[in-house]
Amino acid sequence: MEPVAVLTDGERCINYEEIIQLFMDWIDSAPSDSVKETGRGDWEKSRYCIVDYRNAEQAVAAAKAIRAFVPDVPVLVLTDFQSSIRKRHLQQITGTGAVKMMLWNEQHPDQLKRSIEQWLHTLEYGAPITMPSVLYLR
């Protein structure tokens, strides 16, 4: 499995190559002792999951499916102004990993990349982590 897994319905036509590269650069720049080994078998190299479905139920189902196998993988859920995904939906995602929601704006497609880039650059490496810390929802 790739270090950054993307689950999408493809409706937003987001350029994931650039977004995945941001995460890869972040992972590569981490001190060698700050990214822990997970012992997940095929998911050993998977460090993050991006969920991009317009339908809230599909997004939650996809995130839950990943978390059924890897409860601690951090999940980034993308939403937009037309999507019905809200924070209450994120509370349905099981597991112990972090959940982060970001907004996709079709009129400004580069804004998502800038938001992720800014978010990653504001983080510091402290204790061993799998990916950046974000709000945990239960």
Side-chain angles (χ1 to χ4, degrees):
M1 187 60 68
E2 296 296 320
V4 181
V6 177
L7 303 175
T8 182
D9 57 14
E11 290 186 25
R12 291 189 181 102
C13 299
I14 296 173
N15 181 356
Y16 287 108
E17 290 177 12
E18 291 179 358
I19 292 172
I20 290 171
Q21 190 59 50
L22 287 175
F23 281 102
M24 296 301 294
D25 292 345
W26 189 88
I27 292 168
D28 290 344
S29 69
S32 60
D33 62 343
S34 68
V35 179
K36 68 180 181 181
E37 294 300 318
T38 60
R40 298 180 193 152
D42 289 343
W43 284 86
E44 181 66 35
K45 294 184 179 184
S46 187
R47 299 285 183 230
Y48 214 77
C49 180
I50 300 172
V51 175
D52 172 25
Y53 290 89
R54 285 193 189 252
N55 179 281
E57 289 76 25
Q58 286 179 317
V60 169
K64 286 174 125 179
I66 286 286
R67 288 285 184 84
F69 295 101
V70 190
D72 63 335
V73 70
V75 176
L76 172 63
V77 178
L78 302 181
T79 189
D80 59 30
F81 294 114
Q82 287 80 34
S83 177
S84 59
I85 300 172
R86 302 290 181 259
K87 286 186 180 182
R88 64 183 165 86
H89 293 106
L90 300 183
Q91 294 172 340
Q92 299 173 25
I93 299 172
T94 57
T96 59
V99 177
K100 174 85 172 160
M101 185 167 64
M102 285 194 175
L103 182 66
W104 162 256
N105 185 341
E106 187 175 7
Q107 302 300 321
H108 304 285
D110 289 335
Q111 181 59 42
L112 177 63
K113 180 183 168 193
R114 286 191 301 268
S115 294
I116 292 171
E117 188 172 42
Q118 182 180 34
W119 174 57
L120 291 174
H121 286 303
T122 62
L123 300 170
E124 295 182 24
Y125 301 103
I129 55 175
T130 303
M131 278 301 285
S133 60
V134 294
L135 176 66
Y136 285 87
L137 299 173
R138 292 190 185 230

